[in-house]
Amino acid sequence: MRQIIAMGGGGFSMEPENLLLDTYILNQSHKEQPSVCFVPTASGDQELYIKRFYQSFTELKCLPSHLSLFEPNFTDLERYILEKDIIYVGGGNTRNMLVLWKEWGVDDILKKAYQNGTVLAGLSAGSICWFEEGLTDPLNGPLYKINGLGFLHGSHCPHYDGEEKRRFSYQRMLTTKEISAGYAVDDGAALHFIDEKVSKTISSRPEAKAYYLINENGRVVEEAMDAFYLGNSL
């Protein structure tokens, strides 16, 4: 079973007091204490980001670790990744992350891990990367389309309700056919894909949603995908 959990935003890095999405991700491994590896490449392996990951995940039932490409903490990269139950990719600069992954061969290893049943997850850059296309933003620059790894079909726009220019830019690109049909996800919401199909839409906030958008005869149609609020299961 191939699994990807794509968050629009949220999790430990945005909601340190609300770990509902992170706990959900851990539960999908169906192990008592899964090994979860945080990949902070998009942030330049920012030390504070890594520290925040450990602060949150040491409170959860798991074996946390992280992957550093700037200060390599492994001897065999492929083995290090493939031995994990869950790969959790953080946010930051999507383009820089994908360039580094390609240089190190992380993209090919992640594909192998995905095919082997490793749960892949992430937010922002860490959710864009799994799709064919995504809407990303450089610092102080306009939003633009970027090509991802293509594990999932279509396009993806995270932070749909969290950043003012996201909704407008995504719909404009869909209207002009600069980007293909796809999924927009609010902060605090996530899409759980099983074998490349949406299995469930979940959220850590009662109002957070995901949407499927498509260009129909020059007009963008936005279909809301109501999310199951994880707080209801507590």
Side-chain angles (χ1 to χ4, degrees):
M1 184 169 67
R2 299 179 299 277
Q3 298 188 78
I4 293 177
I5 301 167
M7 297 184 281
F12 77 92
S13 61
M14 293 182 67
E15 301 177 300
E17 304 304 319
N18 179 0
L19 301 180
L20 288 173
L21 287 173
D22 301 315
T23 301
Y24 179 86
I25 290 168
L26 294 178
N27 289 341
Q28 304 321 302
S29 71
H30 302 294
K31 288 191 175 182
E32 182 85 19
Q33 202 170 26
S35 57
V36 54
C37 183
F38 178 50
V39 184
T41 315
S43 70
D45 289 349
Q46 188 182 83
E47 190 174 332
L48 180 59
Y49 202 4
I50 296 169
K51 182 179 179 181
R52 289 165 65 193
F53 164 75
Y54 282 110
Q55 286 174 338
S56 293
F57 276 76
T58 50
E59 296 179 6
L60 302 174
K61 278 190 169 184
C62 65
L63 299 171
S65 62
H66 75 282
L67 171 68
S68 177
L69 296 181
F70 289 83
E71 295 183 16
N73 58 341
F74 52 83
T75 53
D76 185 327
L77 177 58
E78 181 167 337
R79 181 177 177 181
Y80 188 78
I81 291 175
L82 294 181
E83 68 184 7
K84 311 303 183 195
D85 298 310
I86 300 165
I87 299 295
Y88 188 129
V89 183
N93 189 304
T94 311
R95 182 179 293 278
N96 287 352
M97 178 182 74
L98 291 172
V99 168
L100 278 170
W101 281 3
K102 186 175 180 60
E103 178 67 25
W104 282 84
V106 173
D107 50 350
D108 290 333
I109 299 171
L110 287 175
K111 185 174 184 179
K112 186 179 293 187
Y114 179 53
Q115 296 293 339
N116 289 347
T118 301
V119 178
L120 306 180
L123 75 156
S124 195
S127 59
I128 291 171
C129 63
W130 312 122
F131 291 80
E132 291 175 318
E133 301 173 340
L135 189 65
T136 190
D137 58 331
L139 188 64
N140 299 321
L143 289 161
Y144 63 91
K145 185 190 83 169
I146 191 168
N147 294 327
L149 299 178
F151 297 176
L152 299 173
H153 298 300
S155 65
H156 173 52
C157 174
H159 305 303
Y160 199 50
D161 69 335
E163 297 177 5
E164 185 178 349
K165 55 187 178 180
R166 289 277 178 175
R167 184 186 292 262
F168 170 79
S169 297
Y170 192 43
Q171 293 197 10
R172 178 184 59 78
M173 288 187 180
L174 283 164
T175 301
T176 59
K177 298 185 178 180
E178 293 175 62
I179 203 166
S180 60
Y183 301 90
V185 185
D186 290 343
D187 288 341
L191 294 170
H192 184 178
F193 290 83
I194 295 179
D195 295 337
E196 295 80 56
K197 294 182 180 179
V198 177
S199 171
K200 190 179 294 184
T201 307
I202 54 173
S203 73
S204 60
R205 307 175 189 178
E207 72 284 357
K209 290 185 175 66
Y211 305 83
Y212 183 71
L213 288 84
I214 191 169
N215 181 327
E216 287 190 357
N217 301 316
R219 182 174 70 91
V220 174
V221 176
E222 179 186 272
E223 178 185 350
M225 305 167 68
D226 290 335
F228 173 76
Y229 173 52
L230 295 170
N232 289 338
S233 59
L234 296 177

